[in-house]
Amino acid sequence: MKNQLNKILTIKPWIIFLSIIVLSIFSESIIGIILMIIWSLLFTYWTLGVGEKLYNKLNDKSILNLKRFKIQIAFVIIYLIIVFASGGGYEINNENIAEYGWKAWVIIPLHLILMYSMIHTIYFLSRCITTLRDKKEGYGWYMLGFWMFPIGIWIIQPKIIELLNEKPAYNTV
């Protein structure tokens, strides 16, 4: 089973792109909701798997923190499950903040932590890719690719596949 799930890490970009298109077509139906839950689980597994595998290939692991990466992904998952289970979200603005009362003082900081966690997860993956590719390219482009995922996957996933399929170099000294 684990070997089957590991195939998700090196899935072709066009399959990921088509899955997003299919989700958008069925988004308003019960089938779309079920597909979105499955896709979200697979995407989370892909993010964790790629992050772990690329991190383990790093020579200098001190530049990134794998434990922090995993905690941030767990926070994002738990936070989003709670938000969707409690009614699907909120819309706080200057006119209606009084309606939320003390809850606004909890929601706003948690949402800021959510955004930080998502951005740091993207940074972690981007930094792993640029460090392993050992090129003089900035990781900002990869961060932008992850942020604009349906488009960026065409650039990012082939590089991830290349890095994951690379055999480790052994010293023969």
Side-chain angles (χ1 to χ4, degrees), residues 64-130:
L64 295 168
N65 187 338
L66 183 63
K67 186 176 181 180
R68 181 173 162 190
F69 171 74
K70 289 179 178 182
I71 289 170
Q72 288 174 324
I73 289 178
F75 174 79
V76 170
I77 293 166
I78 292 167
Y79 182 78
L80 291 177
I81 288 172
I82 290 170
V83 166
F84 288 119
S86 66
Y90 45 84
E91 187 176 314
I92 299 174
N93 56 41
N94 286 337
E95 286 81 37
N96 70 357
I97 195 163
E99 295 172 21
Y100 285 90
W102 65 269
K103 294 177 189 173
W105 293 101
V106 175
I107 293 171
I108 293 171
L110 285 175
H111 194 71
L112 292 173
I113 295 169
L114 172 79
M115 294 306 298
Y116 172 79
S117 296
M118 291 170 68
I119 291 169
H120 189 269
T121 298
I122 290 170
Y123 166 78
F124 182 94
L125 293 170
S126 302
R127 186 74 190 265
C128 281
I129 293 170
T130 55

Side-chain angles (χ1 to χ4, degrees), residues 15-43 149:
I15 295 173
I16 297 171
F17 187 78
L18 282 178
S19 70
I20 294 169
I21 299 297
V22 168
L23 280 174
S24 66
I25 292 171
F26 294 109
S27 65
E28 298 296 320
S29 67
I30 189 72
I31 294 171
I33 293 169
I34 293 168
L35 289 174
M36 181 57 129
I37 291 169
I38 293 168
W39 193 89
S40 297
L41 291 171
L42 292 173
F43 178 74
F149 191 75

Side-chain angles (χ1 to χ4, degrees), residues 52-69:
E52 282 185 58
K53 298 263 188 208
L54 293 180
Y55 177 82
N56 289 333
K57 286 182 171 265
L58 291 174
N59 290 330
D60 181 14
K61 293 179 177 30
S62 67
I63 60 172
L64 295 168
N65 187 338
L66 183 63
K67 186 176 181 180
R68 181 173 162 190
F69 171 74

